[in-house]
Amino acid sequence: MNFGSHDGKYRWSKDGGAKFPSGKKVKRIVLIVVAAVLLIIAGSTCWYTVDDKQQAVVTTFGKVTDVTGAGVHFMLPFGIQQAHKVDVNVYQSLELGYRTDSSAEGGYQVVEDECKMITGDYNIVNVEFFVEYKVTNPERYLFGSYAPEEILRNLIQSQVRNVVGSTQVDSVLTDGKESIQMQVKDLVTQVLQEYDIGLTLVDVKIQDAEPPTQEVIEAFKAVETAKQQAETVVNQAKAYQNAQIPNAEAQVDQLIQNAEYLKQARINEAYEQVAMFTAMYQEYQLNPEITRSRMYYEAIAQVLPGVKLYINTGDGSGVDMVLPLESFVDGGTTEPTEPAEEGGN
């Protein structure tokens, strides 16, 4: 039975119908298919794209050889080179003390192992932190450490406990939160600069801080209410002070003006007395005896007001003339009295 002839290219079937390619033809087809597949693989693995929020770390046989930015880039195919893309211009978040969970009550779940801390005055508080960070060195982020986010979480938690452990509970729950956030950020930033895991801390915020029991919460609320009332009283006192200061300043100005007036009056009076003394002295130089007698009589009139005084002008001859002092002091015109009898006083 003839199974067909073989011409080096085709082989006939037993029934003399369809013919099949020869072995060489099959090998050629296989080679073409393999080459096409290799070309497709090479074409798909010899280029990559990076968007504007990423950087790509290129490795050649596992060793970092380049870091590229946004755009289309070429690389060696078949896994010789690989591009590891990293988000570098995107803020990423980290939750400490809680986890966002839409299925939980309130939309989040508390992680007590992370949030429960001891303050500097040995009180227990629950403090939850929200952290923002970004990748600044993609090479160090990928190959400088294992699980850099977990390292950052542990580092922040350690520094948070360190700062809260040296802070009074009142400050943690009320007005000391901003200071705690700044201290934690500074400490974590210093450690990140020292070990360089490719991450930079952007911000640290206290999401919530409260005592662990409801009784303590109510007590702190009462303390906070008292502080607010104290601030209200202080503000009222300052308002009263601000209202009274202008009145006090006006009174001070008035007292100063009165003092200046009295001062000037005393000065004028002193000048007047000096002028009177000078005039009297000049008069005294002209008529010493008369001036001396006048000064004596005026002094007597001042010391003994309302007393009538008379001047005995007797010269021992037996005839005396008595003159009233009022005529000299008051400028009166009283006539002299009758002469006193001899031997009269």
Side-chain angles (χ1 to χ4, degrees):
M1 182 177 181
N2 185 11
F3 291 96
S5 63
H6 179 58
D7 58 0
K9 293 183 179 180
Y10 300 97
R11 179 176 299 173
W12 295 93
S13 61
K14 294 179 179 180
D15 56 2
K19 56 182 180 180
F20 299 93
S22 64
K24 292 183 178 180
K25 186 67 175 181
V26 171
K27 290 181 180 179
R28 184 181 300 174
I29 294 174
V30 171
L31 291 175
I32 292 173
V33 172
V34 171
V37 172
L38 292 176
L39 287 174
I40 293 173
I41 295 176
S44 63
T45 59
C46 69
W47 63 277
Y48 62 96
T49 59
V50 182
D51 62 29
D52 57 352
K53 295 181 179 180
Q54 295 178 330
Q55 286 185 353
V57 180
V58 180
T59 59
T60 304
F61 295 112
K63 183 179 179 181
V64 177
T65 56
D66 194 12
V67 178
T68 59
V72 179
H73 305 276
F74 293 93
M75 62 180 178
L76 297 176
F78 306 114
I80 298 174
Q81 285 187 325
Q82 293 182 350
H84 308 272
K85 301 176 184 179
V86 179
D87 294 331
V88 294
N89 295 324
V90 179
Y91 287 170
Q92 303 184 50
S93 62
L94 194 66
E95 298 171 341
L96 282 177
Y98 72 103
R99 299 291 185 274
T100 301
D101 186 359
S102 58
S103 63
E105 183 179 357
Y108 71 98
Q109 184 177 1
V110 176
V111 182
E112 293 189 359
D113 293 342
E114 293 181 355
C115 70
K116 187 170 292 186
M117 306 177 191
I118 300 177
T119 63
D121 50 0
Y122 303 104
N123 287 286
I124 299 177
V125 292
N126 292 337
V127 187
E128 300 169 0
F129 283 85
F130 179 79
V131 179
E132 287 184 326
Y133 68 95
K134 66 179 181 178
V135 178
T136 54
N137 189 330
E139 180 181 351
R140 295 295 302 172
Y141 172 75
L142 291 174
F143 305 107
S145 61
Y146 177 77
E149 284 87 356
E150 193 65 25
I151 294 175
L152 179 63
R153 176 185 295 275
N154 294 334
L155 175 60
I156 294 175
Q157 188 173 1
S158 174
Q159 298 302 332
V160 164
R161 293 185 181 278
N162 183 22
V163 174
V164 173
S166 60
T167 307
Q168 301 295 315
V169 65
D170 289 342
S171 297
V172 175
L173 298 177
T174 56
D175 57 355
K177 295 180 181 179
E178 184 174 356
S179 175
I180 294 174
Q181 294 171 175
M182 293 178 61
Q183 293 182 57
V184 172
K185 184 178 179 180
D186 292 341
L187 292 172
V188 174
T189 300
Q190 292 176 8
V191 177
L192 288 178
Q193 290 176 352
E194 181 179 356
Y195 290 99
D196 189 14
I197 60 175
L199 299 178
T200 296
L201 187 63
V202 177
D203 195 12
V204 177
K205 293 182 180 179
I206 294 180
Q207 191 76 0
D208 193 13
E210 61 181 8
T213 62
Q214 188 62 32
E215 291 79 3
V216 180
I217 292 175
E218 295 299 330
F220 276 103
K221 286 183 178 179
V223 172
E224 188 65 22
T225 301
K227 288 183 178 179
Q228 293 177 356
Q229 293 177 351
E231 291 178 357
T232 301
V233 173
V234 170
N235 293 332
Q236 292 175 351
K238 289 182 178 179
Y240 177 78
Q241 176 186 6
N242 294 333
Q244 293 299 319
I245 285 177
N247 295 333
E249 291 177 348
Q251 293 179 1
V252 169
D253 291 338
Q254 184 177 0
L255 291 174
I256 292 175
Q257 292 177 2
N258 290 338
E260 290 292 337
Y261 171 77
L262 293 175
K263 169 187 173 183
Q264 194 61 40
R266 291 289 182 88
I267 292 174
N268 294 336
E269 182 181 357
Y271 282 132
E272 181 181 357
Q273 292 179 358
V274 169
M276 291 177 61
F277 179 81
T278 302
M280 185 177 295
Y281 180 71
Q282 292 175 355
E283 190 67 25
Y284 177 80
Q285 287 181 329
L286 295 175
N287 301 293
E289 294 297 332
I290 296 175
T291 304
R292 187 184 298 112
S293 299
R294 179 181 175 183
M295 293 174 63
Y296 173 75
Y297 297 146
E298 289 177 352
I300 293 297
Q302 291 178 358
V303 175
L304 301 173
V307 176
K308 293 183 178 182
L309 301 177
Y310 296 91
I311 302 173
N312 187 353
T313 61
D315 54 2
S317 60
V319 178
D320 297 333
M321 180 65 70
V322 179
L323 300 176
L325 187 59
E326 290 87 344
S327 61
F328 296 98
V329 178
D330 300 333
T333 57
T334 304
E335 295 295 333
T337 59
E338 294 295 331
E341 298 181 356
E342 185 177 354
N345 293 329

